[in-house]
């Protein structure tokens, strides 16, 4: 910021120094930069994504379909799709659709279905509830109790209420709790590879 | 990735064209690796990463994708697109206006600008760099977080009306070499070369350099100087920018540095210089180095610490009238040099799952804050040589208390000691309530200050007298915000705000006719803002915003009135359409300002400008091409400027263009 004050005394008048042309400066600068960067380029590159919360959570849902075994009766046919149902507001946008696009699990094509109510649950294998009020969670869990349906939510104490997997954020990382017995009761088998991870907390239902 | 755009965090999640690519990468990770991955969040509102809806502030985020699609060249371009913001340009610098507050002649000290949390405002003018003098190339920006209202309780000085945190890309995001070049109106050319990588061992590295040269307008006409060269300033609008950025990180530890130098010729003969006479220029050089260490200490404890060393240097030159008839003019020079360093540490911990408590200390020492001004005589005559070394210490405590899952109380208090004027305590409090999933209500109160800068305190020269007894400006701020997601694609927000500011540092004439600064005016900005934003698959997006700001100034000298450069209405619209797959986008921006007063109380009419950008990527493998037209309808308008100009307002550019090529290899 300049604050030239008017100056009243006369003296020498320096002349303007001609500037180098833009092109000459650009070329000179680029050359110096190339030399500097070349020294530093020997490291090998590996790509790393910069994901959003729900891109990561969508990936978790995708993985869960691989780490959980559904009973054969859950599928109408051996090549029937494995359906992920979203109940309530959809926080994923396109992320979940992208995550499952073109994927199959044991011959079952992965598809996403957005549900208006629990009445549309037929044919779903994984139910994602988002976060919801405890009373609503209880009513949904009661409604799906006998179905071979993997229930996943972000609601606090979801597993204590009888839900199977709760996704949550800790230090901006996505973690999860699991309720193995709730899965067993629904005829699902959660892989020990998933349950034995160090940061996974195993939780029992506190509700009959 | 854009969090602002998912706003309520529930629906209308932004669909980056790269969503698919990101997910393909994510799916390759194991569950264990996924659980160690940090997700994108907003950092600046609470000095920790969180969702925008949970932040105790009104937050906008502009992503790199927005910047590319809309052809934003500088941080000023980015801010012009943000609700409630406007930027004034006087052909020397750009000044950020927030909700009707941007008095000509006041520097940018009421907005804090950060690069990844590193303070950019300098100790002399506290200037919030946002034009070519901002040291980071917009191509290297991952996102710009704009946090409205005071962020004082976390950041201290200058977090007065807004905090703008510019987050650079990481080495992994650049992932290889990138070369970019632009050509634009008025003989403007630029080049950039960047290299970034992350090794399997977790070492991440980024280095980038940019050079820009602009010839500027060959002729600029100012009727106020009709007696000299018919009022035409010739070849005095050139600009040269050099920028370097480097970052190295390994797990919890990171080192980074930025450098920016900008030379701008001055065609306006500001500060009563001789018109149409070079050399008349401003050259700002700003660099900063920092080491950062961030670690989870276990048991929910988290440590963040930072050590930094910074420099700001200003060189100015201008020709002034000479009394000697043999010499038409004499050269006057300014040289301001500052060194400053400091440290910050913050520990935070989650208690009982409900309290997120943070305690922070920061310290800054400015051993050299030197302002000099001299005339090129034989011998040289020194007009100013002022040293204003200062130091300051701040301590803050913040608690975010989740009373219920949908109700959070946020409170913070900060104590500051400044060697220049003493101590001050500033609180902040907020309530964030989510009655239903798609609705967030926030009520926020905050107090902030802006300390008098070295220029206002110590610069004394013929006609100007510094005032070392200046006290800080104060802001009591209230804001009520309603954020609402509507369906999967729409997000809206509405807010009412009141910024009640007192002790504004204002130039006045003393008994001897000298200009000096005093804590005089009270400025009150109150109004309302609304914004509607829609996002669909394949990158289709739209956004409208409107700000009404009623700003009143109460001056003991001139009485009550409307301050200069304060538009009552700000309206913006943006639309980005994918024309062909996700490879070609057309993006249109409209920005409107209502009329503004000049310092002399003349009215400058309002205007609407339109910018249009065609952007393509991967049409040819690894090549990005963009072509932009700015001010498409060649709208002529003028920005009010400081009283140090003979012109009450300065005409802005008409229609201009830029083309840009970026190649990755």
């Amino acid at each position: 910021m300049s604050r030239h004050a008017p100056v009243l005394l006369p003296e020498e008048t320096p002349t303007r120094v001609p500037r180098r042309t833009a092109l000459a400066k650009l070329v000179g600068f680029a050359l110096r930069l190339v030399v500097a960067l070349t020294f530093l380029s020997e490291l090998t590159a590996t790509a790393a994504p910069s994901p959003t919360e729900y891109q990561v959570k969508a990936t978790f849902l995708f993985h869960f379909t691989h780490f959980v075994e559904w009973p054969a009766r859950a599928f109408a046919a051996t090549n029937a799709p494995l359906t992920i149902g979203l109940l309530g507001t959809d926080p994923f946008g396109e992320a979940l659709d992208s995550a499952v696009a073109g994927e199959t699990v044991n011959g079952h094509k992965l598809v996403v279905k957005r549900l208006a109510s629990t009445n549309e649950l037929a044919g779903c294998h994984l139910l994602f509830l988002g976060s919801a009020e405890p009373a609503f969670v209880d009513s949904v869990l009661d409604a799906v109790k006998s179905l071979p349906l993997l229930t996943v939510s972000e609601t606090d104490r979801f597993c204590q209420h009888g839900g199977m997997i709760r996704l949550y954020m800790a230090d901006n990382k996505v973690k999860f709790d699991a309720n193995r017995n709730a899965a067993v009761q629904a005829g699902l088998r959660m892989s020990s590879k998933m349950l034995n991870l160090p940061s996974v907390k195993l939780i029992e239902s506190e509700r009959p | 990735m854009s969090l602002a755009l998912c706003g309520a965090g529930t629906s209308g999640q932004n669909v980056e064209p790269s969503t698919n690519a990101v997910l393909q990468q994510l799916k390759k990770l194991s569950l264990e690796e996924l659980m160690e991955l940090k997700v994108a969040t907003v950092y600046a509102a609470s000095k920790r990463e969180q969702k925008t809806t949970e932040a105790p502030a009104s937050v906008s985020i502009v992503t790199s994708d927005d910047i590319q699609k809309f052809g934003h060249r500088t941080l000023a371009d980015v801010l012009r697109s943000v609700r409630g913001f406007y930027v004034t340009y006087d052909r020397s610098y750009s000044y950020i206006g927030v909700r009707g507050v941007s008095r000509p002649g006041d520097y940018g000290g009421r907005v804090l600008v950060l690069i990844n949390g590193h303070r950019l405002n300098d100790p002399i003018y506290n200037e919030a760099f946002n034009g070519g003098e901002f040291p980071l190339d917009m191509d290297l920006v991952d996102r710009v977080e704009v946090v409205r209202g005071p962020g004082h309780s976390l950041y201290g000085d200058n977090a007065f009306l807004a905090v703008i945190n510019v987050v650079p890309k990481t080495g992994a995001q650049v992932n290889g070499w990138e070369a970019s070049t632009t050509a634009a109106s008025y003989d403007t050319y630029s080049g950039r070369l960047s290299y970034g990588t992350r090794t399997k061992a977790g070492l991440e590295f980024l280095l980038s350099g940019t050079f820009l040269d602009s010839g500027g307008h060959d002729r600029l006409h100012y009727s106020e100087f009709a007696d000299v060269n018919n009022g035409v300033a010739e070849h005095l609008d050139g600009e040269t920018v050099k920028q370097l950025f480097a970052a190295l990180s390994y797990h919890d530890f990171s080192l980074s540095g930025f450098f920016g130098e900008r030379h701008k010729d001055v065609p306006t003969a500001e500060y009563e210089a001789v018109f149409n006479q070079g050399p008349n220029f401003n050259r700002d050089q700003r660099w900063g180095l920092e080491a950062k260490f961030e670690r989870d200490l276990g048991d929910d404890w988290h440590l963040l610490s930072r050590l930094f060393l910074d420099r700001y240097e200003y060189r100015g030159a201008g020709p002034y009238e000479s009394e000697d008839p043999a010499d038409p003019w004499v050269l006057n020079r300014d040289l301001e040099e500052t060194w400053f360093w400091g440290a910050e540490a913050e520990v935070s911990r989650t208690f009982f799952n409900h309290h997120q408590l943070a305690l922070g200390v920061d310290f800054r020492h400015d051993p050299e804050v030197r302002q000099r001004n001299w005339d090129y005589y034989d011998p040289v005559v020194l007009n100013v040589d002022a040293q204003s070394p200062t130091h300051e210490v701040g301590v803050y405590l913040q608690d975010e208390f989740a009373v219920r899952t949908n109700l959070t109380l946020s409170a913070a208090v900060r104590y500051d000691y400044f060697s220049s004027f003493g101590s001050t305590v500033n609180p902040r409090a907020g309530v964030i309530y989510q009655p239903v999933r798609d609705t967030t209500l926030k009520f926020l109160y905050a107090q902030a200050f802006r300390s008098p800068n070295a220029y206002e305190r110590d610069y004394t020269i013929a006609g100007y007298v510094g005032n070392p007894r200046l006290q800080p400006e104060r802001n009591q701020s209230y804001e009520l915000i309603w954020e609402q997601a509507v369906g999967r694609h729409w997000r809206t927000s509405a807010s009412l705000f009141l910024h009640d500011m007192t002790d504004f540092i204002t130039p006045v004439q003393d008994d001897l006719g000298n200009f000096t600064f005093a804590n005089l005016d009270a400025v009150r900005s109150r109004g309302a803002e609304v914004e509607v934003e829609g996002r669909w698959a394949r990158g289709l997006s739209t956004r409208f915003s409107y700000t009404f700001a009623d700003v009143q100034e109460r001056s003991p000298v001139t009485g009550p009135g409307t301050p200069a450069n304060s538009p009552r209405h700000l309206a913006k619209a943006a639309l980005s359409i994918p024309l062909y797959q996700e490879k070609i986008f057309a993006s249109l921006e409209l920005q409107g300002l209502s009329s503004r007063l000049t310092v002399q109380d003349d009215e400058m009419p309002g205007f609407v400008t339109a910018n249009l950008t065609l952007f393509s990527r991967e049409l040819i493998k690894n090549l990005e091409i963009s072509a932009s037209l700015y001010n498409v309808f060649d709208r002529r308008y003028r920005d009010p400027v400081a009283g140090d100009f003979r012109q009450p307002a300065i005409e802005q550019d008409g229609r201009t263009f830029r083309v840009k090529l970026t190649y990755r290899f």
Side-chain angles (χ1 to χ4, degrees):
Chain A
M1 283 311 113
S2 165
R3 287 287 172 171
H4 311 300
V7 176
L8 305 171
L9 300 170
E11 269 307 327
E12 55 156 3
T13 59
T15 49
R16 210 172 171 206
V17 182
R19 295 164 65 193
R20 269 197 297 158
T21 68
L23 190 65
K25 279 193 266 188
L26 190 62
V27 168
F29 183 74
L31 284 176
R32 271 177 280 163
L33 203 63
V34 168
V35 171
L37 286 170
T38 309
F39 279 111
L40 296 155
S41 65
E42 286 156 25
L43 304 156
T44 53
T46 53
S50 161
T52 64
E53 176 183 338
Y54 283 94
Q55 287 173 340
V56 176
K57 286 184 174 171
T59 313
F60 270 94
L61 294 193
F62 167 74
H63 279 311
F64 292 153
T65 62
H66 290 79
F67 285 104
V68 173
E69 255 178 57
W70 276 265
R73 68 178 165 100
F75 297 96
T78 48
N79 60 352
L82 194 160
T83 306
I84 298 175
L86 300 180
L87 189 59
T89 322
D90 169 15
F92 292 101
E94 301 302 307
L96 188 58
D97 301 82
S98 279
V100 305
E103 295 283 352
T104 56
V105 182
N106 299 327
H108 303 292
K109 186 170 179 289
L110 285 178
V111 296
V112 177
K113 189 172 156 191
R114 292 174 172 85
L115 312 173
S117 76
T118 48
N119 298 333
E120 297 175 17
L121 269 173
C124 283
H125 301 90
L126 190 160
L127 174 66
F128 181 84
L129 250 178
S131 58
E133 288 300 312
F136 179 67
V137 169
D138 287 350
S139 73
V140 172
L141 288 176
D142 290 342
V144 305
K145 206 159 197 180
S146 54
L147 301 174
L149 187 65
L150 181 71
T151 52
V152 183
S153 175
E154 299 169 289
T155 308
D156 275 358
R157 297 178 53 78
F158 182 66
C159 293
Q160 285 86 340
H161 282 250
M164 294 171 203
I165 295 177
R166 173 187 165 240
L167 291 171
Y168 66 98
M169 301 298 294
D171 190 27
N172 292 305
K173 295 167 182 168
V174 180
K175 310 270 177 178
F176 68 91
D177 299 334
N179 182 335
R180 182 205 294 254
N181 287 338
V184 169
Q185 281 164 24
L188 308 179
R189 210 177 140 261
M190 289 178 174
S191 157
S192 55
K193 275 185 200 155
M194 163 180 149
L195 297 175
N196 291 344
L197 291 169
S199 61
V200 173
K201 274 185 264 170
L202 295 180
I203 302 225
E204 294 292 325
S205 304
E206 293 174 5
R207 220 164 55 96
Chain B
M1 299 297 137
S2 132
L3 249 199
L5 307 170
C6 70
T10 55
S11 75
Q13 185 87 17
N14 179 25
V15 185
E16 299 283 336
S18 52
T19 296
N20 215 3
V22 172
L23 278 156
Q24 294 315 316
Q25 292 287 341
L26 285 175
K27 286 198 290 196
K28 289 181 194 158
L29 301 178
S30 68
L31 279 178
E32 196 162 11
E33 286 167 326
L34 275 175
M35 281 191 275
E36 285 310 309
L37 203 63
K38 289 215 172 193
V39 304
T41 39
V42 52
Y43 175 85
S46 298
K47 248 188 183 175
R48 70 184 175 88
E49 295 181 341
Q50 60 188 167
K51 288 202 238 174
T52 54
T53 44
E54 291 169 359
S58 164
V59 178
S60 290
I61 297 186
V62 181
T63 64
S64 70
D65 204 50
D66 298 327
I67 292 170
Q68 299 305 327
K69 281 183 187 165
F70 286 97
H72 294 153
R73 298 156 293 187
T74 58
L75 182 59
D77 278 351
V78 171
L79 295 174
R80 284 186 179 101
S81 74
V82 173
R83 161 167 53 101
F85 281 71
Y86 60 108
V87 177
T88 309
Y89 180 52
D90 65 9
R91 296 216 171 270
S92 288
Y93 295 93
S94 304
Y95 303 91
I96 303 170
V98 185
R99 293 171 166 171
V101 181
S102 176
R103 301 200 311 180
D106 293 358
Y107 293 140
R110 297 189 190 103
V111 174
L112 177 66
V113 177
L114 307 164
I115 295 180
N116 219 6
H118 187 120
R119 164 183 289 267
L120 203 60
N121 301 56
D122 65 272
I124 292 187
Y125 306 106
N126 282 182
E127 186 63 359
F129 285 156
N130 62 93
E133 66 280 12
F134 180 77
L136 197 63
D137 189 315
M138 284 298 110
D139 284 355
L140 286 182
V141 172
D142 176 56
R143 64 184 193 273
V144 179
E145 306 174 346
V146 179
V147 181
R148 294 174 190 78
H152 183 88
S153 54
L154 293 173
Y155 294 101
D157 202 6
N158 306 120
F160 193 79
L161 278 170
V163 177
I164 295 162
N165 185 28
V166 181
V167 181
K169 288 182 180 168
T170 62
Q173 280 172 297
V174 173
N175 193 25
W177 289 88
E178 231 178 71
S180 184
T181 179
T182 71
S185 302
Y186 305 116
D187 286 325
T188 305
Y189 301 94
S190 78
R192 172 180 63 88
L193 195 60
S194 310
Y195 178 75
T197 189
R198 184 161 83 182
T199 65
K200 289 206 162 88
L203 181 76
E204 199 158 350
F205 171 74
L206 174 67
L207 183 63
S208 179
T210 299
F211 179 83
L212 176 144
D213 189 276
S214 173
H217 290 257
D218 286 341
R219 297 163 61 83
L220 282 164
H221 181 255
Y222 297 109
S223 57
E224 293 79 5
F225 292 95
D227 51 327
V228 184
N229 198 29
N230 294 317
V232 175
E234 294 184 60
H235 305 291
L236 271 173
D237 189 39
E239 180 173 10
T240 312
V241 174
K242 297 169 193 167
Q243 295 167 329
L244 269 177
F245 180 75
L248 181 71
S249 72
Y250 186 71
H251 296 295
D252 301 328
F253 188 72
S254 61
L255 279 174
S256 62
F258 61 81
F259 169 87
E261 185 186 274
R262 175 199 186 232
H263 173 108
K264 178 69 180 65
D265 287 331
V266 178
T268 53
E270 57 183 335
Y271 308 114
E272 300 175 48
V274 175
F275 186 72
N276 189 33
Q277 179 63 61
N280 191 341
F281 65 82
N282 295 311
R283 183 181 298 161
D284 297 272
Q285 198 186 79
R286 180 77 176 85
W287 61 254
L289 293 173
E290 77 167 36
K292 194 163 82 175
F293 181 72
E294 194 170 4
R295 178 149 208 171
D296 287 323
L297 302 173
D299 285 341
D300 296 327
W301 283 92
H302 188 81
L303 169 74
L304 172 80
S305 57
R306 189 198 297 268
L307 188 67
F308 61 86
L309 172 67
D310 279 53
R311 180 172 169 81
Y312 169 63
E313 181 188 292
Y314 164 77
R315 288 169 189 274
Y320 284 86
E321 219 170 88
S322 156
E323 273 192 341
D324 183 349
D327 277 323
W329 53 272
V330 66
L331 192 71
N332 175 267
R333 293 294 308 260
D334 254 307
L335 173 60
E336 339 289 19
E337 291 171 287
T338 62
W339 285 99
F340 48 109
W341 67 278
E344 289 173 26
E346 187 192 276
V347 283
S348 58
R349 196 195 157 176
T350 311
F351 288 93
F352 319 118
N353 283 326
H354 300 304
H355 285 274
Q356 169 93 28
L357 205 68
L359 174 68
V361 184
D362 50 51
F363 163 80
R364 201 180 91 199
H365 182 210
D366 309 346
E368 177 162 82
V369 181
R370 190 171 191 190
Q371 305 179 75
R372 273 179 289 178
N373 178 289
W374 68 90
D375 300 308
Y376 269 114
Y377 300 122
D378 193 15
V380 164
V381 173
L382 196 60
N383 302 314
V384 180
D385 189 358
Q387 268 282 17
S388 332
T390 54
H391 60 271
E392 57 194 68
V393 182
V395 183
Y396 61 89
L397 182 68
Q398 170 174 272
D399 184 26
E400 284 185 15
F401 171 34
V403 183
R404 294 158 49 100
T405 51
N406 63 351
L407 179 66
T408 303
L409 302 181
S410 162
V413 62
R414 181 185 169 103
Y415 165 88
D416 288 274
Y417 170 77
F418 279 72
S419 63
S420 53
F421 65 84
S423 61
T424 168
V425 175
N426 294 273
R428 168 166 95 160
V431 181
I432 300 163
Y433 178 51
Q434 257 188 310
V436 290
R437 175 126 199 219
D438 288 346
T439 306
T440 305
L441 298 171
K442 301 177 183 179
F443 178 71
L444 311 166
Y445 163 77
Q447 185 178 302
F449 75 84
R450 173 178 91 81
S451 71
N453 60 45
Y455 170 69
E456 290 158 340
R457 289 167 46 82
D458 296 321
Y459 195 89
T460 298
I461 192 169
Y464 293 86
V465 182
N467 181 358
R469 290 180 306 282
L470 285 171
Q471 290 297 305
E473 299 179 349
R474 304 199 170 276
N475 182 5
Q476 305 271 349
S477 169
Y478 307 83
E479 189 153 358
L480 183 63
I481 303 162
W482 171 28
E483 292 171 348
Q484 178 73 44
V486 183
R488 283 178 64 200
H489 302 294
W490 293 95
R491 185 184 82 84
T492 64
S493 102
S495 64
L496 294 172
F497 59 85
L498 168 65
H499 303 298
D500 204 353
M501 298 166 279
T502 50
D503 294 332
F504 255 41
I505 296 171
T506 306
V508 282
Q509 261 182 311
D510 66 13
D511 300 342
L512 301 169
N514 291 320
F515 280 99
T516 187
F517 289 98
N519 291 101
L520 278 184
D521 298 352
V523 176
R524 170 182 280 192
S525 165
R526 55 188 169 175
E529 284 182 340
V530 287
E531 184 163 66
V532 177
E533 195 169 319
R535 292 251 157 187
W536 293 266
R538 287 177 292 282
L540 175 65
S541 68
T542 185
R543 188 175 66 239
F544 304 91
S545 76
Y546 168 71
T547 302
F548 170 78
D550 173 42
V551 185
Q552 293 299 323
E553 185 174 69
R554 279 171 290 126
S555 160
V557 181
T558 57
T562 304
N565 195 23
S566 174
R568 277 172 87 79
H569 309 280
L570 278 173
K572 298 167 199 244
L575 175 67
S576 184
I577 303 173
L579 294 182
Y580 172 66
Q581 297 181 354
E582 287 174 37
K583 292 183 172 174
I584 304 181
F585 295 87
S587 306
L588 175 71
E589 275 186 312
L590 297 172
Q591 291 156 1
L593 261 76
S594 66
S595 66
R596 296 171 286 175
L597 295 178
T598 65
V599 173
Q600 296 79 7
D601 273 346
D602 298 320
E603 190 171 308
M604 288 295 124
F607 61 89
V608 177
T609 54
N611 303 325
L612 181 66
T613 294
L614 274 175
F615 170 73
S616 95
R617 65 176 139 216
E618 294 301 314
L619 209 57
I620 299 166
K621 196 164 167 44
N622 295 330
L623 186 68
E624 260 178 35
I625 308 170
S626 87
S628 306
L629 271 183
Y630 305 94
N631 197 356
V632 176
F633 302 112
D634 203 20
R635 180 69 212 230
R636 298 286 156 172
Y637 65 99
R638 290 191 285 165
D639 279 346
V641 295
D644 310 289
F645 288 71
R646 198 186 288 182
Q647 306 90 325
I650 295 293
E651 178 153 352
Q652 302 296 304
D653 284 349
R655 185 187 303 120
T656 58
F657 75 90
R658 182 184 75 163
V659 289
K660 182 173 159 199
L661 294 176
T662 304
Y663 187 66
R664 296 197 170 82
F665 52 105

